[in-house]
Amino acid sequence: MSAVGYLTESLADAAFQVIEEKIVTLELAPGSRVTERALCDLTGFGRTPVREALLRLSQGFLIEILPRNGILIAPMDFEVIVMTLEVRRHVERLIVERAARYSDDRDRRKLDSLRAAFQDATDRGDALAFIRTDNLLNQTLNAAARHPVATKVAQPLHSVSRRMGFAIGRANGAGFDVTGPGHQRLIQAVVAGDVPASLTALDELLDAVDALKQIYSAMGEPRAF
């Protein structure tokens, strides 16, 4: 896929978005190994942006760079999923509070446009469209919060949750009817600039995401498709 539709600033950013999505959507299977050259061929990016993207990804929970032995796509570790959700509750409260307080008209227009996208993906049970919209929401909230430290902490946590959500949604369609409306309520509250309502909506959304991990724990290790 191309980088169109992402909030990117450079080729390295675009390569990061494309590779991250291929991991989140299980096109690059958990536990598999891949080479830098294969990723260049798969994404259409050159070695420099791919290498920079991999270095950034290696700081999170999706890959491990193995010297002279390629790149390991991290298995979906249930304990890591649980721990990242715990941290998200703290970091995202800061992001959402600041987004509700400091978002400008441009931020609010972007956020508002995502409500219909969530509804459409939920109605169609489209796992790929849903996680792409979720990614755009995360990026837009991060930008609106104007807190680069919180953003840097939150991004790899979001990736873990989105990979879990995609695996569940692809397997049985579960979760979209719960988290879709939750995302929309969060957007509505942030656009209104209502900090208490935004934080309540976030807590309810994360409660729903937290419940999904029990569904995931009953599933076998997802595979690529």
Side-chain angles (χ1 to χ4, degrees):
M1 68 162 281
S2 72
V4 174
Y6 288 113
L7 307 179
T8 57
E9 298 178 354
S10 69
L11 284 176
D13 290 332
F16 173 88
Q17 295 289 353
V18 173
I19 297 170
E20 190 259 10
E21 181 177 288
K22 290 184 181 300
I23 298 172
V24 166
T25 59
L26 311 179
E27 184 175 344
L28 293 171
S32 66
R33 294 188 185 186
V34 65
T35 65
E36 184 180 288
R37 171 49 56 193
L39 288 174
C40 291
D41 294 341
L42 182 64
T43 65
F45 291 101
R47 291 185 64 183
T48 297
V50 166
R51 185 168 294 171
E52 291 180 16
L54 290 172
L55 287 173
R56 182 176 164 192
L57 282 163
S58 70
Q59 297 172 19
F61 306 97
L62 295 185
I63 71 166
E64 179 182 354
I65 297 175
L66 306 173
R68 297 180 297 279
N69 204 16
I71 298 100
L72 173 67
I73 308 301
M76 293 179 67
D77 187 315
F78 184 69
E79 291 186 2
V80 171
I81 291 171
V82 171
M83 288 187 285
T84 55
L85 286 171
E86 290 174 346
V87 178
R88 279 187 63 187
R89 285 190 180 273
H90 297 283
V91 177
E92 287 193 48
R93 285 183 68 84
L94 174 62
I95 290 172
V96 165
E97 178 180 354
R98 288 180 61 90
R101 290 187 188 278
Y102 302 126
S103 58
D104 57 23
D105 289 342
R106 182 182 179 187
D107 297 324
R108 289 190 285 272
R109 285 194 299 271
K110 288 179 180 178
L111 288 167
D112 210 32
S113 70
L114 295 176
R115 283 198 285 180
F118 271 117
Q119 186 63 58
D120 180 63
T122 300
D123 291 344
R124 293 186 292 111
D126 188 332
L128 181 57
F130 193 96
I131 65 100
R132 284 180 174 172
T133 305
D134 192 16
N135 193 30
L136 285 171
L137 174 60
N138 293 333
Q139 291 182 44
T140 306
L141 287 173
N142 288 341
R146 292 159 174 79
H147 197 306
V149 174
T151 294
K152 188 172 183 178
V153 172
Q155 189 280 321
L157 308 179
H158 291 149
S159 297
V160 172
S161 292
R162 287 170 47 246
R163 186 161 65 153
M164 177 190 72
F166 183 86
I168 295 171
R170 190 195 68 174
N172 53 29
F176 297 144
D177 56 341
V178 175
T179 61
H183 283 94
Q184 293 177 65
R185 287 191 292 271
L186 174 60
I187 292 170
Q188 183 176 8
V190 172
V191 168
D194 188 332
V195 172
S198 297
L199 294 176
T200 297
L202 174 66
D203 287 340
E204 292 173 350
L205 174 59
L206 291 179
D207 285 344
V209 174
D210 193 62
L212 290 179
K213 75 177 189 288
Q214 302 304 326
I215 297 176
Y216 174 76
S217 69
M219 295 170 54
E221 181 74 8
R223 297 178 180 178
F225 72 112

